[in-house]
Amino acid sequence: MYGLQKNLPEIKENIEKSAQKIGRKTEDITLVGVTKTISPNQIQEAFELGVRNFGENRVQEFISKYENFDKNTDYTWHMIGHLQTNKVKFIIDKVKMIHSLDNVRLAEEIDKRAKQSDIKMDVLIEINIANEDTKHGVSAQDARFFVEQIHHFSNISIKGLMCIAPIVENAEQNRIYFEKMHRLSVDIQSQNMHNVDMCFLSMGMSQDYQIAIEEGANIIRIGSSLFGYNT
């Protein structure tokens, strides 16, 4: 447990410093531990140290881990990876939020499966903020139109935006993308669309979460800096 015992306090300290720089409360920022390749035992260790939110990238891996945990405890699961429509049915009643909604067909499937489970699923729109060919997501210029296409679904609740910033040598290089995400969030919120509340900005990972917080992130997704693996 030593790695987590050392890493988690350092991350919390960094969160506090970044939040204080812009006059924000640390408790308003949610740390999601990214558990790709992480064992159930390591997840349990993180939980015992106070981490409550965990994010999975792959449905099959998530399902295999999910069965190891008591459903009556405070584990909160997020689907943060690319989600195929044929996999929605496996996770719809297990996760609190889907961070990677990026097409209408997927929205239709989430809505359908949520309706069948008698729930309303919180979703974030994934934005390909740097227009990278290797990444999924809606382009920033198409984001408002996309939200207009899907905000009428009754069993989806649009709660904000998510992005995966480029891999860079200096985290400061991603500040421009985080700034752009924040402006986009404010713009969409100003449209006052039904069923749309831009209350979450999920952005910032191990390499750049401090910059992301300074630019408005209130969900950060941390894997390697928390668990100590190599991405």
Side-chain angles (χ1 to χ4, degrees):
M1 196 187 290
Y2 177 75
L4 279 164
Q5 286 181 329
K6 176 179 180 293
N7 294 340
L8 183 57
E10 290 180 355
I11 291 169
K12 288 183 175 180
E13 183 178 355
N14 289 336
I15 291 172
E16 183 175 5
K17 287 178 180 178
S18 296
Q20 286 180 344
K21 286 176 76 171
I22 56 171
R24 299 178 65 195
K25 297 178 181 178
T26 55
E27 55 265 34
D28 293 336
I29 298 166
T30 299
L31 166 64
V32 174
V34 178
T35 53
K36 180 179 67 174
T37 76
I38 298 302
S39 71
N41 285 341
Q42 289 172 291
I43 297 171
Q44 175 67 29
E45 290 172 0
F47 183 85
E48 291 171 358
L49 290 170
V51 180
R52 291 294 179 266
N53 291 270
F54 299 93
E56 272 291 340
N57 294 73
R58 301 185 181 94
V59 170
Q60 187 171 354
E61 183 178 347
F62 166 60
I63 296 300
S64 68
K65 293 174 184 176
Y66 181 82
E67 299 304 323
N68 290 277
F69 298 99
D70 185 348
K71 310 310 180 290
N72 295 317
T73 56
D74 291 333
Y75 287 88
T76 299
W77 299 98
H78 301 248
M79 177 52 58
I80 61 175
H82 177 63
L83 182 60
Q84 297 174 311
T85 55
N86 63 350
K87 300 293 180 62
V88 173
K89 60 186 176 183
F90 299 113
I91 58 99
I92 195 66
D93 60 343
K94 298 176 179 64
V95 302
K96 178 181 180 181
M97 181 180 289
I98 295 171
H99 290 227
S100 49
L101 177 56
D102 65 354
N103 66 80
V104 174
R105 179 68 188 91
L106 180 57
E108 291 172 342
E109 183 67 13
I110 295 171
D111 182 66
K112 181 180 81 171
R113 297 296 180 178
K115 193 170 297 181
Q116 291 173 350
S117 296
D118 194 27
I119 60 175
K120 192 165 186 176
M121 176 56 64
D122 289 347
V123 299
L124 303 180
I125 309 302
E126 182 173 2
I127 306 297
N128 187 346
I129 196 62
N131 293 320
E132 295 177 274
D133 292 338
T134 57
K135 287 181 180 163
H136 298 280
V138 181
S139 68
Q141 55 265 36
D142 292 336
R144 191 200 298 185
F145 176 67
F146 178 63
V147 174
E148 290 171 351
Q149 287 181 295
I150 66 170
H151 75 95
H152 64 279
F153 288 120
S154 59
N155 287 74
I156 286 178
S157 184
I158 301 170
K159 291 294 187 180
L161 306 177
M162 181 273 263
C163 79
I164 302 173
I167 302 297
V168 292
E169 292 184 4
N170 183 341
E172 278 289 344
Q173 295 174 262
N174 278 337
R175 190 181 291 276
I176 58 171
Y177 299 117
F178 297 143
E179 288 176 339
K180 188 175 182 180
M181 285 287 293
H182 183 260
R183 291 196 304 269
L184 182 61
S185 174
V186 171
D187 176 57
I188 293 173
Q189 183 67 31
S190 71
Q191 305 306 306
N192 294 315
M193 284 183 273
H194 168 71
N195 198 29
V196 177
D197 184 4
M198 293 283 111
C199 51
F200 294 116
L201 263 180
S202 173
M203 59 185 193
M205 301 194 295
S206 290
Q207 64 163 346
D208 53 21
Y209 67 91
Q210 292 167 268
I211 303 296
I213 291 170
E214 292 174 16
E215 297 303 331
N218 53 12
I219 298 178
I220 55 173
R221 309 179 309 274
I222 309 296
S224 58
S225 291
L226 179 61
F227 293 102
Y229 61 84
N230 294 319
T231 54

